[in-house]
Amino acid sequence: MSDYLKALALSSALSLASAPTQAAPPQGIRLVDARHKAIALPRPAQRIVSLQPSFTEAICALGGCQALVGVDRYSTWPMQATTLPQVGSIRDPDIERIIALQPDVVLARPNHRVDERLERLGITVLTLNAQSYEDMERELETLAQLLGRPGDGTRLWRQTRERLEALRRQMPAQWQGKKVYFELHSGMAAAGEASFIGQTLQSLGLVNIAGRDLPMYPKLSPEYVVRANPDLIITMADLPVPPPERQGWGRVTALRGNHYCRIPNAEFDVLVRPGPRIDEAARHIVQCLQRMPLPAGGMDASKR
């Protein structure tokens, strides 16, 4: 684990531990999930199976790692999660192994039929589906309540937003107001302005070429990107820049100025997971911009 992650984990743990935590109500835990379905547990969850890396990270950031008894194969943070039994993924869950772990609750995303299969077998499923900052705030507090720590999710989110604001102040002034294209899945999708990734970019003062009139994760044609002419492109490290098959991209301002962030795959995971480490995602972007040549005609620092 990097020094940053150690510091983040320690800071969150100390802050949450020192904050007053209300006891679970006598009637137990009552929540509403992403399906608008009421979920009831007689007490805070003691045995949790997570089928999504962002859920695993959130549970651990809230101090509940010890409640996890199984995780999906993509849960790689924190290190403690990698030692837990793996139960496949949201797309190919190992149902028999999940049952053998005797969970109080399984955390899943809706619309994958996993919830239906498990609930038919008598297992409680809580579905979550954060797509924006507002969703993430609610999701963190839902998980805090699941752990019997109401209020901790709201506090963790407030700390995260404070770190994001500090990172915005570290942005080179010349990048304020510049256009950005954030590519996902080798061009199969982009991060739209309304998505949580788009909100992170906006929080840093960047302007997304995939505006709010588009879906959260639209597929943008190469021609669209050329017309939008972004000043900055953010992709995974294994994608060649510019992609040889994309005609006209040599004219894009970002490529002519070598203004692109090719984020290593392991770090790219942090950028695309709607969890408690979005401030670390923002830090990767800020550090990339601090290293690259400055663009022409940026906003004056006094106007930020």
Side-chain angles (χ1 to χ4, degrees):
M1 185 185 298
S2 68
D3 292 340
Y4 173 82
L5 294 182
K6 291 177 181 177
L8 173 58
L10 179 60
S11 172
S12 296
L14 291 175
S15 177
L16 294 175
S18 62
T21 300
Q22 304 171 26
Q27 68 271 28
I29 307 296
R30 298 185 181 276
L31 303 168
V32 177
D33 72 0
R35 302 166 295 177
H36 305 290
K37 181 175 181 177
I39 304 297
L41 293 173
R43 59 186 178 280
Q46 304 295 312
R47 298 181 64 81
I48 300 172
V49 168
S50 167
L51 292 178
Q52 195 79 14
S54 56
F55 304 157
T56 303
E57 295 183 9
I59 288 290
C60 288
L62 288 164
C65 230
Q66 74 283 352
L68 289 169
V69 294
V71 296
D72 73 297
R73 69 169 65 92
Y74 302 112
S75 288
T76 56
W77 188 92
M79 186 60 67
Q80 182 178 345
T82 64
T83 66
L84 293 169
Q86 292 188 356
V87 293
S89 75
I90 192 72
R91 296 185 183 277
D92 61 344
D94 187 334
I95 300 296
E96 290 185 2
R97 193 164 199 189
I98 293 173
I99 294 171
L101 292 171
Q102 300 182 313
D104 299 326
V105 63
V106 174
L107 305 179
R109 288 203 180 281
N111 305 320
H112 282 279
R113 306 295 295 275
V114 178
D115 49 348
E116 298 174 11
R117 294 168 64 188
L118 290 171
E119 285 171 338
R120 283 198 297 267
L121 295 168
I123 294 177
T124 299
V125 179
L126 176 69
T127 63
L128 303 160
N129 192 32
Q131 298 290 330
S132 67
Y133 275 17
E134 293 76 16
D135 294 339
M136 283 192 284
E137 181 176 9
R138 287 192 296 270
E139 188 170 285
L140 285 172
E141 182 56 27
T142 295
L143 292 174
Q145 292 181 37
L146 178 70
L147 293 168
R149 301 176 64 91
D152 281 2
T154 300
R155 279 186 285 272
L156 178 57
W157 180 250
R158 184 171 62 247
Q159 294 161 13
T160 302
R161 291 304 299 261
E162 289 171 355
R163 290 191 290 266
L164 280 169
E165 181 57 34
L167 284 162
R168 180 188 177 112
R169 293 193 293 269
Q170 297 175 30
M171 278 279 288
Q174 291 87 344
W175 280 106
Q176 295 293 322
K178 292 298 185 179
K179 294 184 294 183
V180 59
Y181 167 54
F182 192 108
E183 183 168 286
L184 297 164
H185 312 305
S186 299
M188 294 301 294
E193 184 180 333
S195 69
F196 74 92
I197 302 172
Q199 288 179 271
T200 299
L201 298 172
Q202 185 177 33
S203 75
L204 295 175
L206 297 166
V207 177
N208 199 328
I209 67 168
R212 286 191 175 267
D213 56 325
L214 295 174
M216 285 189 176
Y217 298 99
K219 178 174 173 55
L220 302 182
S221 69
E223 294 77 17
Y224 181 101
V225 178
V226 172
R227 289 195 302 271
N229 195 24
D231 304 291
L232 172 67
I233 295 175
I234 302 176
T235 68
M236 294 180 70
D238 59 3
L239 180 70
V241 180
E245 72 280 4
R246 300 187 193 179
Q247 295 183 358
W249 273 46
R251 302 194 301 271
V252 174
T253 297
L255 299 180
R256 288 192 286 111
N258 290 323
H259 293 148
Y260 48 85
C261 295
R262 297 174 65 194
I263 308 296
N265 292 11
E267 296 175 2
F268 199 80
D269 284 346
V270 178
L271 273 68
V272 299
R273 290 179 180 175
R277 293 195 291 159
I278 57 170
D279 56 311
E280 185 186 348
R283 181 176 62 87
H284 287 308
I285 296 171
V286 171
Q287 289 179 341
C288 177
L289 296 182
Q290 289 173 337
R291 292 191 298 265
M292 73 170 55
L294 293 173
M299 184 183 295
D300 184 84
S302 65
K303 298 180 181 178
R304 282 191 287 172

